Amino acid sequence: MNLEGAEAALALAPIAFLAGFIQGLTGFGSALVSIPLATFFVPLPFALAVFAIVDFANGLRLGLENPRNAILGDIARMVPMMIVGIVTGTTLLVNLPRQASLTALGVFVLGYALYSLARRGAPATVSRNWAFVAGFCGGLSGTLFGAGGPPYAIYLSHRSLSKEKFRATMTLTTIFSIGLRLVAFAVTGLLMQDGVWITAAAAIPAGLFAIYFASKIFRAVSREMVMRWVAVLLLASGASLIARGLG
């Protein structure tokens, strides 16, 4: 089904709400919901362009909520290596066996999520030097598979951060990641597809309202509950990657 114009906007707005709600709770993961669902109604390139714009607007809304909670040192370590990962991923895109790589990444993320859900107590704290690894892996996997969030989330979940600091740091990292993706989409012409900006403009309010609603819930729950949500989201992300790799 390839909807256009007002029909596409009406179909994607509820998806933007659901994706924004997830992003509002954890700071990432919106594409896990938005892209698969949107492709039932519009072509994949159109969905990628629309939700890159929507996710960037949502990220700015979350990032401006309380930016002082973000751990700038971790972000400063991740972003340069994220760029290296994006460049490396672009180079490898045409050379790697995509399905096998997608499945391998999915197995790793799924295994970590199951470990997190089974674990009792706080996770072990890791060195901040792992931020370089997380940045590179996030940039690489985001370019190759459209799934950059899990490496950042795995690293930050081991930094003994409060739920506010986790979400703020995750959000600002995501803003950089999506911003770089928007630049790539602009260069390749994806943002110039007919109807992209109009559809995004119609979907953005739904996403922003969902973030407002999710933020109220976020403030009422414990850090442990947020970390459980992150683990569940990683579980779904890993399963989705495996399904795409085997499909």
Side-chain angles (χ1 to χ4, degrees), residues 89-190:
T90 302
T91 303
L92 295 176
L93 195 56
V94 296
N95 299 315
L96 282 179
R98 185 173 177 81
Q99 301 304 102
S101 301
L102 199 63
T103 303
L105 176 63
V107 169
F108 170 75
V109 173
L110 183 67
Y112 176 81
L114 290 172
Y115 161 75
S116 297
L117 289 170
R119 184 189 59 229
R120 293 293 179 265
T125 301
V126 299
S127 165
R128 299 183 79 173
N129 289 331
W130 281 99
F132 298 115
V133 178
F136 177 80
C137 292
L140 183 68
S141 63
T143 302
L144 291 175
F145 315 119
Y152 312 137
I154 290 172
Y155 165 69
L156 292 174
S157 68
H158 284 270
R159 288 296 301 148
S160 298
L161 305 179
S162 68
K163 63 178 184 178
E164 292 83 6
K165 290 181 178 179
F166 175 90
R167 188 180 70 159
T169 307
M170 192 72 212
T171 296
L172 288 186
T173 302
T174 301
I175 288 174
F176 280 108
S177 178
I178 297 173
L180 292 170
R181 195 187 316 160
L182 282 173
V183 171
F185 286 176
V187 170
T188 57
L190 283 179

Side-chain angles (χ1 to χ4, degrees), residues 33-51:
V33 171
S34 60
I35 301 304
L37 291 179
T39 52
F40 283 105
F41 304 102
V42 297
L44 177 60
F46 188 89
L48 288 170
V50 167
F51 280 101

Side-chain angles (χ1 to χ4, degrees), residues 29-97:
S30 58
L32 176 66
V33 171
S34 60
I35 301 304
L37 291 179
T39 52
F40 283 105
F41 304 102
V42 297
L44 177 60
F46 188 89
L48 288 170
V50 167
F51 280 101
I53 298 169
V54 173
D55 290 348
F56 190 72
N58 290 346
L60 288 177
R61 162 65 179 80
L62 273 176
L64 294 174
E65 187 172 294
N66 202 335
R68 288 178 295 180
N69 282 328
I71 307 300
L72 298 181
D74 282 331
I75 296 173
R77 287 171 172 80
M78 283 191 281
V79 169
M81 293 306 296
M82 182 193 304
I83 296 171
V84 175
I86 289 171
V87 173
T88 304
T90 302
T91 303
L92 295 176
L93 195 56
V94 296
N95 299 315
L96 282 179

